[in-house]
Amino acid sequence: MKSALPTLTAFLLICAIAFAGLRATAQATAQPEEYKFDLGAGIGVSGYMGDANESKLFSHPGVGGNISLRYLINTRFAIRGLINMASLSGSTADMENVLPTTEPIDFKASVYDLQARGEFNFFNYGIGETYKRLTRITPYMALGLGISMAGVSGDTSVAMTLPMAVGVKYKVKPRLNLSLEFSMTKVFGDKVDGPELSDPYLIKSSFIKNTDWYSMLTFSVSYEFGRRCVACHRID
């Protein structure tokens, strides 16, 4: 019996060390993982402002959507690329101003816009790691540059764009995000509403003057991927 005691003690010691190792591994695995990229898609309502609508948002609502890819710099900043698609429409019959033409002009347009934006979260966005003061919900704002292509009745125009956006994000799970965003995109051109409404007051447009806008209210879902290195002592 005495000869069995050292063996039993050694066995219990090995079990204790193994249990401690498994527990430490489980705790390390339970730590929230961080990811470098975020792939998403959104759908919502689109609206037009220009020569046929000077002030009323979504007066002739259309359908808008996008696909996007974010590079997550840290919990506050991201760089986002988007492809927007929107249907726009309007009519000069809704206007109080009188145009030189007596007949009302209607248009329907399809717009495709490639954008690159910088995003700023007002709070540290994420789950876990309380010392970073992470929060699952945050408002954000974005500003960028882009290029758009608009088609109206077979006529196509291309112009630079300046997208601006505000929204709110909610992290459902560590890798799953929801967002609601309102964006206004200034088009540095006057042909989103077609050639008939280009310079309708016979005042020549310029790069900034007498240009068109379109807006979108979008609900999006996104998923994070590309695990960030956790053993390289990265400094946030």
Side-chain angles (χ1 to χ4, degrees):
M1 184 68 180
K2 290 182 180 180
S3 61
L5 285 176
T7 302
L8 180 60
T9 302
F11 175 76
L12 292 175
L13 182 61
I14 291 171
C15 288
I17 294 172
F19 176 78
L22 289 172
R23 184 177 180 183
T25 302
Q27 288 177 344
T29 305
Q31 291 296 321
E33 295 178 344
E34 295 183 16
Y35 297 89
K36 294 183 287 186
F37 303 103
D38 174 87
L39 181 66
I43 190 168
V45 181
S46 59
Y48 149 86
M49 290 181 64
D51 295 308
N53 175 32
E54 296 178 345
S55 59
K56 298 177 182 178
L57 285 173
F58 304 113
S59 63
H60 287 261
V63 178
N66 63 51
I67 55 175
S68 69
L69 177 66
R70 284 186 181 93
Y71 173 65
L72 307 173
I73 299 173
N74 53 38
T75 58
R76 285 290 187 99
F77 293 94
I79 298 172
R80 187 183 184 191
L82 298 96
I83 299 175
N84 284 329
M85 299 147 281
S87 61
L88 306 177
S89 62
S91 174
T92 59
D94 303 332
M95 297 175 59
E96 296 180 0
N97 292 345
V98 178
L99 297 179
T101 56
T102 57
E103 295 296 326
I105 300 173
D106 303 330
F107 81 93
K108 291 184 179 179
S110 298
V111 177
Y112 302 90
D113 196 356
L114 178 63
Q115 300 179 357
R117 299 182 188 171
E119 284 188 358
F120 171 73
N121 299 325
F122 285 84
F123 307 132
N124 290 319
Y125 184 59
I127 292 179
E129 297 173 320
T130 54
Y131 73 94
K132 291 185 179 180
R133 298 183 180 179
L134 299 182
T135 175
R136 298 175 70 161
I137 186 168
T138 181
Y140 69 93
M141 61 186 294
L143 181 66
L145 288 173
I147 185 167
S148 70
M149 181 176 68
V152 181
S153 302
D155 185 82
T156 302
S157 63
V158 177
M160 290 183 60
T161 61
L162 178 68
M164 297 161 276
V166 293
V168 60
K169 301 174 185 176
Y170 176 68
K171 188 169 283 295
V172 182
K173 293 183 178 180
R175 301 175 72 174
L176 182 64
N177 308 277
L178 303 178
S179 66
L180 183 66
E181 178 184 281
F182 172 72
S183 65
M184 287 288 294
T185 300
K186 180 176 180 61
V187 182
F188 292 103
D190 193 30
K191 294 185 179 180
V192 169
D193 41 20
E196 288 186 285
L197 285 170
S198 178
D199 306 330
Y201 297 102
L202 306 180
I203 300 173
K204 187 172 178 58
S205 301
S206 64
F207 186 69
I208 297 177
K209 185 178 179 181
N210 195 29
T211 54
D212 297 322
W213 296 71
Y214 77 88
S215 56
M216 293 179 64
L217 180 64
T218 312
F219 174 76
S220 301
V221 180
S222 65
Y223 185 76
E224 296 176 12
F225 67 98
R227 186 179 177 186
R228 197 182 295 277
C229 176
V230 295
C232 55
H233 305 290
R234 181 177 62 87
I235 299 175
D236 288 333

